[in-house]
Each structure stands twice: as structure tokens, then as C-alpha cells.
Amino acid sequence: MSDPIRIDRRFCGPPDSGNGGYACGLVAARVDGPAEVTLRLPPPLETSLRVAPGDDGGVRVFDDDQLVAEGVRRRDEDLGIDVPEPVSVADAERAAATSQLHEHPEEHPFPTCFVCGPQRAPDDGLHILVGPVAGGGVAADTWTPATDLAGVDGAARPEFVWAALDCSGGVGSWLADPIGGNPFVLGRMAVTIDGPVRADAPHAVVGWRAAHEGRKITAGSAIFTGDGGLVATGLATWIQLA
């Protein structure tokens, strides 16, 4: 049995639960091979979550007897999505500056989210809040990972890459064509990391909507280096709260 998973309060999405992408990244690290993670409950904070083996190298994560998440092994690294052309860091910075959530942070459903919350302190959180790229059909922001988020290799640890891809896809897919009503939350996510996301190096993080049906959105996301190299992609299902 793997060691328990514990999500510090710092890594919240909604105020009382973990950021979905960060939580999925922690679960994915326990899967033997490329992973897809489904959240069954909001990941609780400051709680020791039991990790049990699943089928074919997968895992199941429990809070007492409640199933919180399932991680399964994907058969292929390829996520099967069309990734848009790279967005430059300069264009991503300009796009983010136009985000209506920067201009109206009170409209953000989870303003203290570790990844995209506009109310996080300047020296805390990822501060990735994408805005629409002019004529691009995508939304983008910049991300320069802090050194405290990096491993010994100097690259952002995988759970933070998952987190960055999570909110950029969710917010980016909403900005593509705003949907009224209740907020959306992450339901399922898969990520492929093709190269290191270097700490202290600027990147462009891009999100877009792949599909929309009823209360379900399929979102794509990607991270590009300053010279346009693709280093990570994400595919996520978001569900609108009833």
C-alpha cells in the first residue's frame, strides 16, 4: 500500500477542498504509467487519504470509506487532442491582461484558488489566470514556476504542472464562449508531460474548449516554452454544479 496523500490548505481550489489538478497530479504519481484521474468527491484538505491498489497498476483514494479519486493507467501517452499553434510569452501576457476576471475578480467563483485565484498573495499561488488571445480561439497566460515548486532537477514537480494545466483549460474553455449559471469543477483529467517545465523560466500556458454538452465541458490545455516548444498537454472534463 502506498503512503497516504495529504493536501495542504495552501493548495486549495474552492476554499474547503483541494485544487482539482493538483490533487489529480498527486494521484497520478501513484499510478504505474501514464494516468487518467477521476475525482469522485471534492478532495478534502489537511486529511490523510488512504491509497489502495486498483486494477492494472491503478489506484483508488479514500477518505475513511468514501472514494475520493480513482487513477487508472492509460494505454497511450497520446491524449488524442489537436494542440493549437504555440502562443508566445509576450502574447500570453497581453492576453491575460485582458481577462475579465482580472478586471472583475468578484466574478471569480473561487478567488483564492491556488492556481488561478486573483486574491492570492503576490508571493503565493501560481497566478495563472488566462485571457483570450486575439484571433486565436484560445486563452493564455504566462507562468514562471517558482523554485520552491521544483524538484532536484530544477523542473516544476508534476503535480504543479497538472495544476497549471487544470485551471488554464477550465477558465480558457469558459472564456471561449461564456456559459451562465453555476460554476464548473474538474471531474476527470489526463496529462502528458513531454519535457521539463523549468523553474524561473517563463512559459505560455494555453487553454481552450474542445467540446460542450449539457453540464459537461471538455477542455484542452498546453504549456509552451519561451521558444515555442511544447512541454505538457492536458485533457479534462469539467462538470457544472447543479
Side-chain angles (χ1 to χ4, degrees):
M1 183 177 294
S2 299
D3 291 337
I5 288 174
R6 184 179 178 86
I7 301 173
D8 291 342
R9 185 162 296 279
R10 178 190 181 195
F11 305 123
C12 69
D16 297 318
S17 60
N19 171 265
Y22 176 80
C24 286
L26 294 179
V27 176
R30 312 302 180 92
V31 175
D32 183 15
E36 178 183 82
V37 180
T38 300
L39 296 176
R40 302 298 185 186
L41 291 174
L45 300 171
E46 305 290 348
T47 302
S48 183
L49 302 176
R50 176 169 55 90
V51 180
D55 296 331
D56 192 27
V59 295
R60 306 177 82 203
V61 179
F62 294 87
D63 178 13
D64 290 330
D65 293 329
Q66 291 187 303
L67 180 62
V68 174
E70 293 179 282
V72 298
R73 182 175 181 174
R74 291 170 17 225
R75 295 183 178 181
D76 197 330
E77 285 277 7
D78 186 3
L79 296 178
I81 56 173
D82 295 325
V83 177
E85 291 296 312
V87 174
S88 72
V89 169
D91 285 345
E93 186 173 21
R94 281 190 286 269
T98 69
S99 172
Q100 68 186 71
L101 295 178
H102 274 306
E103 298 174 3
H104 301 283
E106 72 280 1
E107 296 180 3
H108 196 299
F110 307 118
T112 59
C113 173
F114 173 71
V115 179
C116 64
Q119 293 181 4
R120 297 292 292 220
D123 59 349
D124 186 32
L126 302 190
H127 293 282
I128 301 172
L129 189 50
V130 296
V133 176
V138 300
D141 195 359
T142 60
W143 181 36
T144 301
T147 54
D148 69 323
L149 307 181
V152 294
D153 61 353
R157 298 196 295 277
E159 61 267 31
F160 297 115
V161 176
W162 280 67
L165 290 166
D166 167 31
C167 289
S168 60
V171 176
S173 65
W174 178 80
L175 286 172
D177 182 13
I179 300 169
N182 292 332
F184 285 78
V185 293
L186 183 66
R188 178 174 294 155
M189 190 173 188
V191 165
T192 294
I193 299 176
D194 296 306
V197 182
R198 295 290 182 191
D200 280 344
H203 297 75
V205 187
V206 181
W208 65 95
R209 184 185 302 172
H212 176 210
E213 181 180 358
R215 293 172 49 228
K216 182 187 298 184
I217 281 179
T218 303
S221 52
I223 300 176
F224 298 98
T225 61
D227 60 4
L230 178 66
V231 287
T233 52
L235 180 64
T237 299
W238 286 65
I239 306 296
Q240 190 172 31
L241 298 174

